[in-house]
Amino acid sequence: MTPRRTRILNKMKETGLDGLLFATGPNLQYVSECTRYFWQRSCMNNIGGARSSHILPEAVLWLSADNDCTIVCIPRIKDDFPGCKVVVSYMDQMEDTLSFIVRGKRIGIGADCHDWLVSVLKNLDGEMEPVEAEHLLKDLRKVKDENEIAQLRKLAQFTDQAIMYVTQNFREGMTMAEAEDMLMRYGIEQGMDDFSFPPTIGFKTRGTFTSEQNYDFPRTTRLVEGTGIAFDIGFVKDGYCSDWGRTLYWGKAPEYIKEGYKVLNDAQVNMINSIIPYKTNVNETYKMITDYVEAHGYGQFFRVQKRDMNGHQIGIDCHEFPMLTNMEDEPFVPGMVFCSEPKMMFPGEMYMRVEDMILITETGAESLSLFPRDMFEI
């Protein structure tokens, strides 16, 4: 039994569950510890804590309180779960197959294929009680083990590499859509499984838009002198996600814009260097950054976020818990990996962002994103 499985079973015991039933999604990957199986993420939905990416599952995981772990899946993916007990079924026969496997009364279920899971349990035994368990494992998932950290570090490095490739291959007059297509093709060629979310390489040319159009990015916009390029990019590989953001400038930027970018990066670095494990709270990073930005004269340009949101944890999903908002109240602990993404808006000029993947260590925090912070004008 792996240390992860032991922790999961202890959590089940604490909550009085007889079993867990997770359909296609992050908890299936986490409990099975199998990263080969590719499942389609719906990353923007889970910011609000809801997932409903599938109506019927192609894979379901059952874990009993006595550590009977079984994957029921369609034939095409039966080899994607090495080391697991696998029972092959067909999508419209999943319920019948599960009738031979699921037992007990209080069964924790996930949000993916939620209604289907509830229906299955009701049909198997009218006395079975479905218990919402999507977030049962969030405290376990937030602390990454050495293998997870190594994978996230590798993904962060690849994302830096991909952005450098794109910036070196920009050409005057290309459209935003062409830039995004170049990034996609590079990811495919390098063996990435997917994007963490729909990628953005947003072109905004100074003087061509109103304040009401600050956040509009028409994909037909062309790269010309005076264009701010806002990146928001993440890749998926072997079951884990990256997330990265920067804004670069095509041509010579106004000095106050150039200085603003330096201030935003310096605020990020100052925040990273100020984190003390077990002491700094996840709800403090937003104020750390805003205080720095305001102290350096750029507070009026800072994009104020609802609930003082500064970012999110990252791992199997792009957006994991706890979110970096004023609603959360817990300290950073070693093994957490989060994304801090402060933003500024210069109306009529450009939209500016800096986002890094950051690892909490035993002694502080370390940016896994290593893209040059002094690179702005290109």
Side-chain angles (χ1 to χ4, degrees):
M1 188 186 302
T2 66
R4 179 184 296 183
R5 183 65 58 75
T6 299
R7 291 192 293 268
I8 294 170
L9 291 172
N10 287 338
K11 180 67 72 171
M12 291 170 62
K13 184 177 180 181
E14 291 172 11
T15 51
L17 293 178
D18 297 319
L20 292 174
L21 199 59
F22 290 129
T24 304
N27 282 322
L28 185 151
Q29 177 181 318
Y30 186 76
V31 177
S32 70
E33 301 187 56
C34 295
T35 59
R36 183 183 301 175
Y37 169 54
F38 175 81
W39 55 276
Q40 187 60 55
R41 287 152 175 80
S42 55
C43 72
M44 301 312 293
N45 286 342
N46 71 345
I47 290 180
R51 302 189 60 86
S52 57
S53 56
H54 300 272
I55 298 172
L56 296 176
E58 60 182 8
V60 180
L61 176 141
W62 162 254
L63 176 66
S64 70
D66 58 1
N67 196 33
D68 172 17
C69 186
T70 303
I71 302 286
V72 179
C73 67
I74 61 175
R76 181 177 55 82
I77 59 174
K78 63 182 176 61
D79 296 325
D80 289 348
F81 304 97
C84 288
K85 181 169 64 175
V86 175
V87 175
V88 175
S89 183
Y90 290 97
M91 194 171 289
D92 60 357
Q93 295 297 314
M94 287 282 188
E95 182 173 333
D96 289 341
T97 306
L98 288 169
S99 69
F100 296 101
I101 298 168
V102 176
R103 60 189 184 274
K105 295 301 181 185
R106 298 190 77 243
I107 312 299
I109 62 173
D112 277 299
C113 308
H114 178 274
D115 293 348
W116 182 85
L117 292 173
V118 171
S119 175
V120 166
L121 294 180
K122 179 180 178 180
N123 292 336
L124 292 184
D125 183 344
E127 294 185 3
M128 281 186 175
E129 177 190 358
V131 179
E132 304 298 331
E134 178 67 20
H135 298 308
L136 177 71
L137 307 180
K138 71 175 184 177
D139 288 339
L140 303 182
R141 284 176 53 189
K142 76 180 181 184
V143 179
K144 274 58 179 179
D145 61 31
E146 292 182 1
N147 290 333
E148 291 179 298
I149 291 170
Q151 179 64 13
L152 291 168
R153 185 186 298 277
K154 184 177 177 181
L155 264 171
Q157 293 172 354
F158 174 80
T159 306
D160 289 341
Q161 171 189 324
I163 301 306
M164 188 61 74
Y165 170 83
V166 170
T167 59
Q168 291 173 346
N169 285 277
F170 277 142
R171 66 181 187 278
E172 184 85 11
M174 74 185 308
T175 66
M176 175 178 159
E178 289 172 330
E180 292 175 348
D181 182 68
M182 175 169 57
L183 176 71
M184 180 192 72
R185 294 185 182 283
Y186 182 80
I188 292 172
E189 291 168 359
Q190 298 300 315
M192 291 295 106
D193 296 327
D194 200 358
F195 284 109
S196 305
F197 49 86
T200 299
I201 304 179
F203 293 173
K204 300 290 284 189
T205 304
R206 63 182 310 212
T208 64
F209 59 96
T210 66
S211 58
E212 290 77 21
Q213 299 169 318
N214 283 336
Y215 303 107
D216 295 336
F217 291 95
R219 300 184 75 240
T220 55
T221 304
R222 295 188 178 276
L223 187 60
V224 297
E225 177 78 17
T227 297
I229 308 166
F231 289 89
D232 190 10
I233 305 297
F235 291 95
V236 178
K237 179 66 176 175
D238 295 332
Y240 286 85
C241 300
S242 68
D243 193 1
W244 181 96
R246 286 290 191 279
T247 298
L248 305 180
Y249 201 88
W250 188 255
K252 181 69 174 176
E255 282 303 315
Y256 86 104
I257 297 287
K258 187 175 179 179
E259 178 62 21
Y261 187 66
K262 181 179 184 304
V263 167
L264 195 60
N265 269 287
D266 289 348
Q268 181 91 310
V269 171
N270 179 70
M271 180 274 295
I272 295 170
N273 292 339
S274 299
I275 290 176
I276 302 173
Y278 304 108
K279 182 177 179 180
T280 305
N281 197 297
V282 298
N283 62 26
E284 295 180 57
T285 61
Y286 184 87
K287 189 173 188 303
M288 288 179 180
I289 291 173
T290 55
D291 284 353
Y292 189 97
V293 170
E294 289 172 358
H296 288 77
Y298 279 82
Q300 70 189 89
F301 301 109
F302 196 81
R303 182 185 173 192
V304 178
Q305 300 276 26
K306 185 178 181 181
R307 297 181 298 159
D308 293 350
M309 184 169 180
N310 184 49
H312 52 87
Q313 308 303 303
I314 189 168
I316 292 173
D317 259 340
C318 180
H319 302 104
E320 296 193 337
F321 296 89
M323 297 288 174
L324 305 187
T325 77
N326 59 16
M327 305 291 288
E328 301 290 344
D329 185 17
E330 60 178 289
F332 286 111
V333 297
M336 293 174 71
V337 180
F338 71 98
C339 294
S340 171
E341 46 182 307
K343 307 170 184 72
M344 293 200 292
M345 172 57 72
F346 297 83
E349 288 279 359
M350 68 180 302
Y351 170 67
M352 185 179 290
R353 64 181 292 123
V354 171
E355 181 172 12
D356 299 288
M357 292 172 60
I358 299 161
L359 167 67
I360 303 298
T361 68
E362 290 291 342
T363 58
E366 169 195 354
S367 180
L368 301 182
S369 305
L370 301 176
F371 194 86
R373 294 189 185 278
D374 59 355
M375 184 174 175
F376 182 58
E377 295 172 327
I378 57 175

